[in-house]
Amino acid sequence: EVQLVESGGGLVKPGSSLKLSCVASGFTFSSYGMHWIRQAPKKGLEWIALIYYDSSNKYYADSVKGRFTISRDNSKNTLYLEMNSLRSEDTAMYYCAKLPYGWGQGVMVTVSS
Amino acid sequence: DIQMTQSPSFLSASVGERVTLSCRASQNINKYLDWYQQKLGEAPKLLIYNTNNLHTGIPSRFSGSGSGTDYTLTISSLQPEDVATYFCLQRNSWPLTFGSGTKLEIK
């Protein structure tokens, strides 16, 4: 069974940085592309980034391109999202996902002064 | 980007009723369409993948169909535990895009 556990969220000020982690288990992490998806409070879902199984390719939504970086460490079964120049509109629950089958429970990021 | 339009945005139906939710893509997505259920305070849960494949453990009252730009999620007999918001996701091309959701309630 796919299990994904995110961590690293919190309350930060505009312009600051934060790094999210997602530890995977229950499947061969190094064989699958992984995604980050976010959901602003009481809003819909927004896909924000994908990394291939071997880190050879990365894709980003325009809303985060140039500010966020997705990465992974297959030796640690861990996915990361480094977020820089955070804005109030980045406030959301952030989910890591092995689409379409499994999602983590999410981690909240709040950007506010 | 492919736009995903879900309808209706809100639906109230009775227990036992057959319910149909719709998702329309702005271009052909080649059946790369998934349906998710999200209950209040929880992460989305996969119901159907690639248009019509029922995910493991999902009750058979859920089914999916469609092709091209038009896709449907059907609940054959609505149950109280089906109260949730339902989202579609297209995985045909980047960026992946979600529908805005259908909030389903019991009448």
Side-chain angles (χ1 to χ4, degrees):
Chain A
E1 180 188 356
V2 172
Q3 293 202 348
L4 300 165
V5 179
E6 302 95 338
S7 61
L11 171 63
V12 296
K13 296 187 186 310
S16 60
S17 299
L18 202 60
K19 188 171 185 177
L20 306 182
S21 300
C22 169
V23 177
S25 61
F27 65 103
T28 305
F29 180 73
S30 58
S31 297
Y32 293 91
M34 294 294 295
H35 302 257
W36 286 99
I37 295 159
R38 68 183 180 183
Q39 186 172 33
K42 298 186 178 180
K43 298 289 187 182
L45 295 157
E46 180 187 19
W47 171 85
I48 56 173
L50 157 73
I51 185 168
Y52 275 23
Y53 71 100
D54 59 355
S55 301
S56 59
N57 283 289
K58 303 175 185 181
Y59 297 90
Y60 298 93
D62 287 345
S63 58
V64 305
K65 201 174 296 182
R67 298 187 301 122
F68 289 13
T69 302
I70 189 171
S71 62
R72 65 191 297 160
D73 185 338
N74 286 345
S75 69
K76 296 181 178 180
N77 284 358
T78 302
L79 176 71
Y80 302 100
L81 185 68
E82 186 160 9
M83 305 183 293
N84 298 317
S85 303
L86 282 161
R87 307 165 179 166
S88 59
E89 54 263 37
D90 296 318
T91 294
M93 184 71 79
Y94 285 74
Y95 298 99
C96 68
K98 174 185 175 287
L99 290 178
Y101 305 107
W103 294 51
Q105 282 304 298
V107 62
M108 188 68 200
V109 172
T110 303
V111 184
S112 175
S113 54
Chain B
D1 298 4
I2 296 177
Q3 307 302 314
M4 302 300 295
T5 302
Q6 270 189 260
S7 61
S9 56
F10 177 83
L11 180 59
S12 182
S14 301
V15 172
E17 188 173 339
R18 182 181 182 90
V19 169
T20 299
L21 284 59
S22 175
C23 198
R24 174 167 289 176
S26 59
Q27 62 191 72
N28 182 9
I29 55 172
N30 298 302
K31 296 193 172 186
Y32 289 105
L33 189 285
D34 309 321
W35 289 97
Y36 291 88
Q37 176 192 67
Q38 187 177 32
K39 296 185 177 180
L40 202 60
E42 298 182 6
K45 181 174 79 171
L46 178 67
L47 300 174
I48 303 283
Y49 62 96
N50 293 347
T51 296
N52 56 11
N53 295 278
L54 192 68
H55 187 45
T56 305
I58 302 302
S60 59
R61 64 180 180 273
F62 292 93
S63 64
S65 63
S67 63
T69 61
D70 293 323
Y71 297 84
T72 299
L73 173 70
T74 299
I75 307 173
S76 61
S77 178
L78 187 66
Q79 299 302 303
E81 60 266 33
D82 298 336
V83 169
T85 299
Y86 293 81
F87 294 97
C88 60
L89 165 66
Q90 70 81 18
R91 289 184 295 113
N92 182 70
S93 59
W94 312 114
L96 306 189
T97 45
F98 290 88
S100 56
T102 293
K103 188 173 183 180
L104 179 58
E105 293 191 352
I106 300 292
K107 192 181 292 182

